[in-house]
Amino acid sequence: MKKVCLLFLVLLCSVFNSAKADDIKIHAIVFCNTNDEKIEESCKNDQERFAEELGLIETAIGCEEDWQVFIGDDCSKSNLERVISNLNCSPNDAVFFYYSGHGVHAEADSEDGWLPQMCLKYKSYDQDKFVPVTYVRDRLLTKGARLNIILTDCCNNEANWVTVKSVISQQKDAPNVDAVDIAKLKKLFFESKGTVIATSSKRGQVSYGPKEGGCFSVAFWDEMYKIEQGAGVADWKTLIEATAKRTFQYTNNKQEPAYQIDVNNVVNNNINNNNNINNNNIVVISAGEKELGEAFKQIVNPNYSRNERWNMISGIVGRLFDSNALVLMVGRDLKTNVGRPVNINKYLEELALSKKVKGINIVRTQKSNTGKFNQIVISEIRETRYE
């Protein structure tokens, strides 16, 4: 069954300001429709991959981070309007907005005619709750951030006929930043200005979103992975052109992205381009479980001593976890188990003392009938060179 869907990337940059890397914050705002049985697996995979890859980038380049993730029932118009309205940015910040779910295009739409409306968690009879992408774009432009990225995967089709051969999905080991080309990532996120607008398919075409995730989203992160590994060109025009070519390949030449690019690279001598992580704050991402994410941030907060972090563990476990709760570690593909399951107490004790863990993506969670967590799945982002 095919349903019309739109997918687009909007990258809008204001005038570049001189900044040090540790003065820059990336605000990640994520909305994913994980309730709809037709697309929930695809959207969940999109959300998990986005968190994993952007989390790795934030960890590698050492900037501050701010995550707000809305899935399931929280993927709503009221939450979207609220989070954008309350967003506070400095002139050196970047905003990365991501949406995965159903999308629709009004035939009579003439202004910004290639941009869709996001259906969020709503059905066709709830059109008053759909949110145009132009709303997000226009509101973000008033926030004063240096860089605004809007990436939406609006696939609403069941396209299991195609199997996405993702490069990243083959990475089964635990992710680490040792081999990441940090200078290239900083060139993309710290040393670019201009506008990039890309849509996953030309108007009138179908965009595909198999269970592995939206084909355009998968292609984008595969191309970003090449840049991380030093093989790709750290240039937005080249990145989007390569993403479009890979999307065309992934969909058996049935989906042809369209895009407009106006980006300039700038040289800023105030940016710290050494390849060492210069931010002691560990990136923690927890989709839909705010209290859990805050607890993990406490355990890894460098402002507390190791003894203070150690002493927090019993209270966190008693409040949030069953006593026999397990932590499962997965690799960068977010599926392959890395090591054996560990009891939550032991895991938090090791985490409180660790020097090599630089990022934590709480990928999935499970609760018992007590309402507490009895299992969590985690992908750790590591830096091993100092061990």
Side-chain angles (χ1 to χ4, degrees):
M1 179 180 181
K2 295 181 180 178
K3 302 176 183 176
V4 175
C5 56
L6 291 171
L7 170 67
F8 62 95
L9 168 68
V10 180
L11 172 61
L12 303 165
C13 309
S14 62
V15 176
F16 186 88
N17 294 302
S18 296
K20 295 181 180 179
D22 54 5
D23 291 333
I24 296 173
K25 178 181 288 187
I26 296 180
H27 303 267
I29 303 172
V30 182
F31 282 80
C32 293
N33 181 359
T34 57
N35 276 358
D36 192 303
E37 61 182 10
K38 294 180 179 179
I39 61 171
E40 60 181 340
E41 187 173 0
S42 178
C43 291
K44 184 62 176 172
N45 284 329
D46 282 341
Q47 177 265 309
E48 292 174 358
R49 177 59 60 204
F50 179 88
E52 182 77 355
E53 300 308 320
L54 184 58
L56 178 63
I57 290 171
E58 290 175 333
T59 302
I61 61 181
C63 64
E64 295 184 46
E65 47 85 25
D66 171 36
W67 280 81
Q68 299 190 70
V69 181
F70 301 87
I71 59 177
D73 288 338
D74 292 330
C75 181
S76 65
K77 178 180 180 180
S78 59
N79 280 335
L80 190 153
E81 291 176 338
R82 176 182 56 79
V83 71
I84 293 182
S85 177
N86 294 339
L87 182 65
N88 292 314
C89 301
S90 78
N92 293 323
D93 288 350
V95 180
F96 204 146
F97 177 91
Y98 180 75
Y99 167 70
S100 177
H102 289 305
V104 67
H105 193 98
E107 184 176 352
D109 182 18
S110 58
E111 184 176 354
D112 289 329
W114 61 286
L115 297 176
Q117 300 176 37
M118 297 174 288
C119 301
L120 300 172
K121 66 175 182 178
Y122 306 109
K123 305 295 183 182
S124 59
Y125 49 77
D126 291 320
Q127 290 193 37
D128 60 314
K129 298 183 178 69
F130 294 175
V131 178
V133 176
T134 51
Y135 169 86
V136 176
R137 181 199 64 190
D138 294 345
R139 292 301 300 274
L140 287 184
L141 284 175
T142 70
K143 297 298 179 176
R146 173 183 52 83
L147 177 67
N148 290 290
I149 306 166
I150 302 173
L151 175 64
T152 69
D153 189 337
C154 300
C155 294
N156 58 356
N157 64 294
E158 297 172 323
N160 292 328
W161 58 269
V162 60
T163 301
V164 179
K165 306 298 191 301
S166 172
V167 172
I168 295 176
S169 67
Q170 301 169 29
Q171 309 304 313
K172 302 182 184 302
D173 295 333
N176 68 77
V177 299
D178 294 357
V180 171
D181 194 324
I182 296 173
K184 285 192 173 183
L185 291 178
K186 286 184 175 180
K187 184 177 180 182
L188 279 177
F189 286 91
F190 292 170
E191 300 177 16
S192 299
K193 68 174 182 179
T195 304
V196 174
I197 305 176
T199 178
S200 64
S201 55
K202 292 182 177 179
R203 185 167 180 174
Q205 289 184 343
V206 172
S207 294
Y208 294 97
K211 64 181 181 179
E212 293 87 353
C215 293
F216 185 87
S217 293
V218 171
F220 175 80
W221 290 118
D222 281 350
E223 290 301 324
M224 186 69 76
Y225 174 77
K226 288 175 61 178
I227 294 174
E228 291 171 8
Q229 300 303 303
V233 177
D235 171 79
W236 285 107
K237 183 175 185 294
T238 304
L239 170 60
I240 298 303
E241 287 177 345
T243 298
K245 182 177 180 180
R246 189 181 289 268
T247 303
F248 198 55
Q249 171 191 348
Y250 283 168
T251 59
N252 294 338
N253 304 337
K254 294 182 181 294
Q255 181 179 327
E256 186 177 0
Y259 48 86
Q260 296 177 352
I261 302 168
D262 182 16
V263 170
N264 295 317
N265 294 324
V266 297
V267 176
N268 188 340
N269 294 327
N270 290 324
I271 291 288
N272 181 0
N273 278 318
N274 65 60
N275 285 341
N276 293 325
I277 296 174
N278 54 15
N279 182 14
N280 290 324
N281 293 319
I282 295 178
V283 175
V284 177
I285 307 166
S286 180
E289 298 290 351
K290 184 176 180 179
E291 188 177 9
L292 181 62
E294 291 301 321
F296 269 75
K297 287 181 180 180
Q298 283 186 300
I299 289 293
V300 300
N301 190 335
N303 293 324
Y304 296 113
S305 68
R306 289 189 175 186
N307 284 338
E308 287 176 318
R309 297 199 296 268
W310 183 282
N311 291 333
M312 295 175 185
I313 293 172
S314 60
I316 290 174
V317 172
R319 186 173 75 254
L320 298 177
F321 294 92
D322 287 347
S323 59
N324 59 347
L326 294 176
V327 177
L328 282 66
M329 306 294 297
V330 293
R332 190 170 179 178
D333 65 352
L334 302 179
K335 294 179 176 61
T336 303
N337 291 336
V338 178
R340 295 184 177 182
V342 180
N343 179 270
I344 184 61
N345 278 281
K346 182 178 180 182
Y347 177 76
L348 292 180
E349 289 171 358
E350 293 176 350
L351 183 62
L353 302 178
S354 176
K355 293 182 180 179
K356 63 184 178 180
V357 177
K358 298 299 179 182
I360 299 170
N361 178 15
I362 304 175
V363 181
R364 290 178 288 276
T365 62
Q366 177 180 293
K367 290 184 177 180
S368 67
N369 53 16
T370 66
K372 294 184 177 181
F373 297 103
N374 60 4
Q375 179 178 291
I376 60 174
V377 179
I378 287 179
S379 173
E380 288 184 345
I381 301 169
R382 298 178 173 232
E383 183 182 34
T384 61
R385 56 187 150 203
Y386 297 123
E387 288 293 295

